[in-house]
Amino acid sequence: MGRLGWLVFLLLGGGLGACQGDRTAERWFAPDPQLLEEQTEPSPRPDVVSPEPDIDDRLPAPEPTSEPTPEPSPRPSPRPSRAGELEISEWAEDLVALGTIAADLEPDAPIPRRTFARWLFATYNRFYADRPTQQIRPAAAVSVALFSDVPTTHPDFSMIQGLAEAGVIPSRLSGGTQTLFQPDAPLTRETLIQWKVPLDRRGTLPAGTLAAVRETWGFQDLDQIAPQTFAALLVDYDNGDRANLRRAFGYTTLFQPQRPVTQGEAAAALWFFGFQGEGITAAEAIGLSAPIASPDNPE
């Protein structure tokens, strides 16, 4: 073959190889038809279901209303309690059952002198209903009145005058200078002790001094106590837990001699008569004979 023939052969063979190479490269870099199918097919989207709005959500939200804060109901104030209040009530109930004090008494109200004199007279005689020789006699209507404000026409004359004639209530008969009884004045602590203790002791009271009262009771207000009260205070102290002062007023370092006595305190003092272990209580006296007549308990 000549030089020209070889040249034609090379040209024809190279072109053919190049065509084949281009086709091979085309096939190499051509995209995979399977991948094209997968990319061209739309991927299924999950169904998104929009929630149906609730009826209440479609309505406008109500505006918040401010309700007034309810005020707490007021708590009742505790009733002030007194020492021995329960006992005073029980002592008064015994005396009411005994028939010697009024059933409608007011424990915290001051007791007038005339009322205490009536209770004292009636209760003491009721306690000794089975021993007439120990009782106090009522004054006769023909007696001369010892107090100008308690004449013979006074409803409590027989008892007030009877206590004075027995020496329980101070009067001119017992060496006093009293001409007025002051029946409606409040009973004081000092007067209660002066009238009640002689009926506990049922005898002459021993002499008393300021020093003795200071040593026993030790009151801080000794300078306010009348000297004629010293003897009764000493005898009352010797009565221990049965002392009128302890039963009526509880523990105290102040006597407060001019302080008014309440009806409840008066009932506490009258609940017991006696001295140093010998005596009688209202509860014990209830079983004795019938009570004597009095304005609070007429027969």
Side-chain angles (χ1 to χ4, degrees), residues 140-165:
V142 296
S143 300
V144 178
L146 295 172
F147 307 105
S148 60
D149 53 356
V150 185
T152 56
T153 57
H154 194 281
D156 298 323
F157 169 79
S158 63
M159 286 171 281
I160 294 174
Q161 179 94 0
L163 289 168
E165 291 179 351

Side-chain angles (χ1 to χ4, degrees), residues 112-225:
R113 288 163 59 93
R114 61 179 290 184
T115 303
F116 183 74
R118 183 168 66 243
W119 289 7
L120 179 66
F121 182 93
T123 304
Y124 178 82
N125 282 351
R126 179 69 174 85
F127 275 35
Y128 294 96
D130 58 342
R131 284 178 276 179
T133 58
Q134 299 294 329
Q135 295 181 355
I136 300 172
R137 298 291 184 263
V142 296
S143 300
V144 178
L146 295 172
F147 307 105
S148 60
D149 53 356
V150 185
T152 56
T153 57
H154 194 281
D156 298 323
F157 169 79
S158 63
M159 286 171 281
I160 294 174
Q161 179 94 0
L163 289 168
E165 291 179 351
V168 176
I169 291 178
S171 69
R172 65 174 183 266
L173 295 178
S174 56
T177 59
Q178 295 87 347
T179 59
L180 294 174
F181 180 71
Q182 299 178 294
D184 296 319
L187 180 77
T188 63
R189 290 184 171 188
E190 193 168 59
T191 302
L192 182 148
I193 294 297
Q194 292 175 1
W195 293 2
K196 173 63 166 53
V197 172
L199 292 178
D200 287 322
R201 180 71 181 264
R202 289 189 293 147
T204 304
L205 302 183
T209 63
L210 176 65
V213 176
R214 177 184 292 112
E215 184 179 351
T216 53
W217 288 109
F219 294 130
Q220 300 179 44
D221 52 356
L222 283 172
D223 57 333
Q224 302 176 25
I225 303 173

Side-chain angles (χ1 to χ4, degrees), residues 5-22:
W6 280 108
L7 181 59
V8 172
F9 175 79
L10 289 174
L11 289 174
L12 290 175
L16 183 61
C19 291
Q20 290 178 352
D22 291 340

Side-chain angles (χ1 to χ4, degrees), residues 259-275:
R259 178 172 175 172
V261 176
T262 67
Q263 295 181 23
E265 292 168 343
L270 295 174
W271 185 81
F272 173 80
F273 280 90
F275 184 66

